[in-house]
Structures are given as structure tokens and as C-alpha cells.
Amino acid sequence: MAVIEWKKDEGVAIVTMNNGENRHNPVFVDTFLNTFDEIEKDKTITSVVITSSDKKCWSLGIDLGWMMEAIGKEDFDALKGFMYGLNKVFSRVLSFPMPVIAAINGHVFGDGSILACACDYRFMKADKGFFCFPEVDIDIPFLPGMLEIVKKAFPYYKAEELIFSGKKTGAKELEEHHVVVKACADQEELMKDAIAFARTYTKKRPIFQEHKKRLHKGIFEAIEKEDPVYIDALKLGV
């Protein structure tokens, strides 16, 4: 089974992450970017839904096993390339010429949470799974671009609370603060509602993409101008 697969459901591309905890490493980055390239080539697709085949996890962030191995080998070029690759993933989602909707069907932590925030909309299963920024507890600071992505998806007061506390938050609480569109009762309702919502979008790609680029201008500037200072110094965020 591929790390990431996708299928077409009428005008909706359903992207499924298949690697268990769906941790981010160079293979994930390359597969994700290739998947979105394939989707964009199909001119009949008008929206994207991202979910996971794992019953417990949507994505738990960076593959720390891969990262520690690279550090042990002092393969700093690989580490830098990976971090820049992650930013390409975020930027791809942030500028994709159609809505990208996260159907969060399990735990989403760390860099996985950043990916969910980069999506235009979020639906989350209420019966199982937490949303968490654990960076404060593992002594790894966010990159500037990551913080800007979080502030896109969260009201500032709630972003501040979760970033400073590292607390695990459920779907109902996130729905109350408009981080997710809906806290869905179970897996079936999650996919039904996320796909139905995706089908409401049939906008023209150029105008949709241009609006996203202009709305997210500050995020792109942080990624392009501020993040390299930390990445090139290997002051890495997860």
C-alpha cells in the first residue's frame, strides 16, 4: 500500500494517508507533493479531502526516528532538505487552486497539526482523537511560518492557549472556537459531512488560488524570509 493514495468521487479528490501514524519524512513529503500534482492535472476536480486509513491517528507529525538517525549521521543536508520540503507541502496546500479540507479521524499532533491548520477547512471526529501542539513539552520551538499557519486556523487567544500549554483538545471544544467546521459523531458522519461540504465548492481555479495567495501573503513571507534563518542553522521546529 502506498504511503498516500487518492481516488476521485465525482468532483472531489479523497486523499488517504496510509502509513499508520502518518509521520512526516522525505518519502511522505515527496509522495504528498506528487499526489497534489496528479490531482491538479485533473481539471474536473474542484475540491480535496485529506483523511487517514488509520483508526487512531490522522498524523502525529515529524518522523522523529528518521530525524534522529539523520542527526546521528550528521546528515545536515538531508535535514535541511526535509524542512524545506515540509514548507513546500504547507505552501502547496495554502496555495492550491481549490479548497483543501482535513477530515481528521484520529489524533493530530505536532507537525500533523500544522498540516491540518494549513488546510482551508477542518472537520474532526468527536468520539476519538485529540488535537495537540506538544512542542512546549518536548523543547522544540515552532518555525515562524508554522506559527503563522496556526494563526490562520485558530483565533489568537486559542492558539496562544494551546501553544503555551501543550494541552490535548477534542473536536467539540475546537468546534466551539470555530477551528473545525463540525465535530462529527463518528467516522461515517465525518466522511459524509466532509465530502458533502467539499461538493459545495465548484469555483474557478484561478480566482480561488489568487484569493488564497493574497489571504496567506503573510504566511508565505514568513516561510520564505524568516524560516531559512532557523533551518540553515538547524534550529528546527517540529
Side-chain angles (χ1 to χ4, degrees), residues 133-142 235-238:
F133 299 119
E135 285 77 5
V136 71
D137 292 318
I138 58 177
D139 298 323
I140 299 178
F142 286 100
K235 297 177 181 177
L236 302 178
V238 177

Side-chain angles (χ1 to χ4, degrees), residues 2 11 32 59 62 64 73 78 82 123 126 128 135 154 160 171 173 185 193 214:
F32 189 99
S59 175
I62 285 178
L64 296 177
K73 294 178 179 178
F82 168 62
F123 287 71
K128 184 180 293 185
E135 285 77 5
F154 275 75
E160 190 175 61
E173 182 175 346
D193 289 351
R214 295 185 187 189

Side-chain angles (χ1 to χ4, degrees), residues 29 31-43 48 50 84-100 115 118-120 149 205 209 212-213 216 219-220 223:
V29 167
T31 307
F32 189 99
L33 293 173
N34 289 336
T35 297
F36 270 63
D37 287 346
E38 291 175 9
I39 291 169
E40 188 172 7
K41 289 177 183 176
D42 187 331
K43 301 303 181 181
V48 179
I50 304 177
Y84 281 117
L86 275 180
N87 275 350
K88 288 181 181 178
V89 167
F90 301 145
S91 295
R92 190 74 167 111
V93 173
L94 289 163
S95 63
F96 205 61
M98 61 191 82
V100 180
L115 178 59
C119 293
D120 300 297
I149 292 170
R205 290 185 180 187
Q209 185 174 54
K212 289 177 73 168
K213 287 181 176 179
H216 305 327
I219 303 175
F220 295 129
I223 287 173

Side-chain angles (χ1 to χ4, degrees), residues 119-167:
C119 293
D120 300 297
Y121 303 100
R122 287 151 295 281
F123 287 71
M124 187 172 177
K125 194 171 66 168
D127 64 338
K128 184 180 293 185
F130 290 107
F131 198 112
C132 180
F133 299 119
E135 285 77 5
V136 71
D137 292 318
I138 58 177
D139 298 323
I140 299 178
F142 286 100
L143 290 173
M146 293 176 174
L147 290 172
E148 293 302 315
I149 292 170
V150 173
K151 289 189 285 184
K152 174 190 82 69
F154 275 75
Y156 188 86
Y157 65 89
K158 201 64 181 174
E160 190 175 61
E161 176 191 347
L162 267 62
I163 288 169
F164 289 162
S165 70
K167 83 171 194 175

Side-chain angles (χ1 to χ4, degrees), residues 1-6 16-20 22 27 31 35 53:
M1 183 180 293
V3 171
I4 300 173
E5 295 178 321
W6 74 280
T16 303
M17 299 180 289
N18 288 320
N19 198 23
N22 298 313
V27 173
T31 307
T35 297
S53 60

Side-chain angles (χ1 to χ4, degrees), residues 11-74:
V12 180
I14 301 174
V15 175
T16 303
M17 299 180 289
N18 288 320
N19 198 23
E21 294 180 346
N22 298 313
R23 290 187 175 270
H24 302 171
N25 53 38
V27 173
F28 178 92
V29 167
D30 290 344
T31 307
F32 189 99
L33 293 173
N34 289 336
T35 297
F36 270 63
D37 287 346
E38 291 175 9
I39 291 169
E40 188 172 7
K41 289 177 183 176
D42 187 331
K43 301 303 181 181
T44 66
I45 293 174
T46 57
S47 56
V48 179
V49 173
I50 304 177
T51 191
S52 168
S53 60
D54 192 84
K55 294 181 179 180
K56 292 179 60 178
C57 301
W58 192 79
S59 175
L60 296 191
I62 285 178
D63 183 343
L64 296 177
W66 174 86
M67 179 172 279
M68 294 308 297
E69 182 178 351
I71 291 172
K73 294 178 179 178
E74 297 186 352

